Amino acid sequence: MTTPMASSPDDTPAPVSWRIDDAPVPYPDALAAMENRVAAIRAGTAPEQVWLLEHPPLYTAGTSADPADLLAPDRFPVYAAGRGGQYTYHGPGQRVGYVMLDLIPRGRDVRCHVHRLEEWLTRTLDAFGVRAERRAGRVGLWVARGGGREDKIAAIGVRVRRWVTFHGVALNVDPDLSHFGGIVPCGIREHGVTSLWDLGHGVSMPEVDTALRESFEEVFGTPIPDQPGCRSPSVSP
């Protein structure tokens, strides 16, 4: 059991707890657990948490999802996610990171939070020799494959309630990439998807988890004013 931790008197966030599940977690169970954790964080009865897990094969629909982008509605279960974004796929071989943080001591800036999630994944992938990049107008991280081709390697979708974040990121380690064919991932038709293994990096999930933890401390342990992209206030949730 993790002991709840409150913020220190100078509003520096207390250490974030980590949870890693080895067995696939059903999506409704994950949603319920996040709801409970977010409420506890706001009540001050539980510390912030990063939860690393995998899901069984499924599709999720964000608040901006276009029904026309669900190409195979009977292929896998489809869930309304409540997060921002459009359709995405989750399944074995994909490391999902649910990030439940209190933004009050972190600047009350949702745009900055998304930027830091992107930076977290960028540094994680860099640890394996993969250069992932942001693209204007496209949320997530992209890998240039040459000849103008770009493939998505990581998705980001967040929700914020009373300044506590949930949902988070999905990094393609070694999923079955054909499973993405049942949707238009994130509503983008002109580009594809890739993974670490697809790019020739046969890393294990524990290795990815280690890199995620190290990169998280680098990014979220750095004061916000020192990070580009973290100076524009966002609309209150």
Side-chain angles (χ1 to χ4, degrees), residues 27 31 34 38 49-53 55 60 81-85 88 90 94-101 113-114 116-118 120-121 139-141 152 154-160 164-171 186 212 216 220:
Y27 195 72
L31 287 180
M34 280 194 288
V38 166
Q49 184 180 70
V50 177
W51 185 12
L52 303 181
L53 68 151
H55 287 302
T60 66
R83 54 157 176 79
T88 192
H90 293 313
Q94 181 188 72
R95 181 49 98 206
V96 173
Y98 289 135
V99 182
M100 291 159 276
L101 300 179
H113 176 63
V114 173
R116 295 178 105 182
L117 292 175
E118 292 172 337
W120 175 35
L121 292 177
V139 178
L141 291 177
K152 191 170 190 175
I156 297 174
V158 303
R159 187 175 180 183
V160 180
V164 179
T165 71
F166 52 127
H167 296 278
V169 304
L171 174 61
C186 300
L212 283 167
F216 186 90
F220 287 88

Side-chain angles (χ1 to χ4, degrees), residues 5 7 22 37 50 53 72 84 86 91 95 111 143 145 151 208 215:
M5 300 177 185
S7 295
D22 295 325
R37 188 67 178 220
V50 177
L53 68 151
Q86 302 185 49
R95 181 49 98 206
R111 186 179 306 169
V143 176
R145 306 297 298 271
D151 289 342
V208 172
S215 298

